[in-house]
Amino acid sequence: MMAEGVTTSAPLLGEPLPVELMNTVILDRGRTHDALDSNADATAWLRAVAHRLGAETAIKTDQLNEDTVRPVAGALRALRDALRYLAAEATRDPRPSATAPKPARAEAITTLNALAQAWPELLWPTGGQPSRGYRGPGTAADLAVQLIAHQAVELFTGADRDRLRPCLAPNCLLFFIKNHPRREWCSPACGNRVRVARHYRRHHPAPQS
């Protein structure tokens, strides 16, 4: 789901935001596509997830425009590459890396830790219920990147790390959280591709050598 009227070329599958960020690298007609390739692309993606960022921060969609996102677009891409590397290690992903250059393990961890600057605060309005919010240094765009990095630390150190999976459907580079015992693919579309491929192999066996 994405904010109304905001489009991004990346799929948004309702995964935790760090996983959604990992999934900004996709295959399109057999070619790798970076949904954060330009500053405009990075802006579109952040705006598309702004409603989820705003659930725990004071970030508003109109605070994320190309002027405010431009200074953090590189950090967002670096965070994405670091998360994909760490996810591949955590899941023993057999797929080739889709990001280049591939960061070293120590570099990936350093990048994540350096960006995870958001901190939780208690919000308790008079007559209302207490809740948790996040703040961080810099602009709303800075906070967006910081919050996703903070959530990534929680992902890799929490129970969801063991549920994180690479989607092994043909021509898929995405990750997902296995939130149901029978879930094997990132989306129904990938599941359909696998079933079609299996059907084809059954009815068109490889010739004997």
Side-chain angles (χ1 to χ4, degrees), residues 58-71:
I59 294 173
K60 305 296 183 185
T61 303
D62 59 8
Q63 294 176 295
L64 301 171
N65 55 61
E66 200 163 339
D67 288 336
T68 61
V69 171
R70 185 181 298 111

Side-chain angles (χ1 to χ4, degrees), residues 175-189:
F175 290 89
F176 66 96
I177 299 295
K178 187 179 175 71
N179 52 13
H180 188 281
R182 298 182 63 182
R183 186 180 183 189
E184 297 296 336
W185 321 109
C186 69
S187 67

Side-chain angles (χ1 to χ4, degrees), residues 24 113 198:
T24 56
N113 288 337
R198 287 173 179 168

Side-chain angles (χ1 to χ4, degrees), residues 24-39:
T24 56
V25 176
I26 59 178
L27 277 177
D28 182 18
R29 297 179 178 86
R31 301 183 66 178
T32 303
H33 171 70
D34 182 355
L36 304 179
D37 185 53
S38 68
N39 293 334

Side-chain angles (χ1 to χ4, degrees), residues 121-133:
E121 289 188 333
L122 175 65
L123 305 177
W124 199 343
T126 302
Q129 295 296 314
S131 64
R132 180 182 60 187

Side-chain angles (χ1 to χ4, degrees), residues 170 194 196-206:
V194 171
V196 168
R198 287 173 179 168
H199 178 82
Y200 182 87
R201 287 195 299 270
R202 281 198 303 269
H203 294 275
H204 300 81

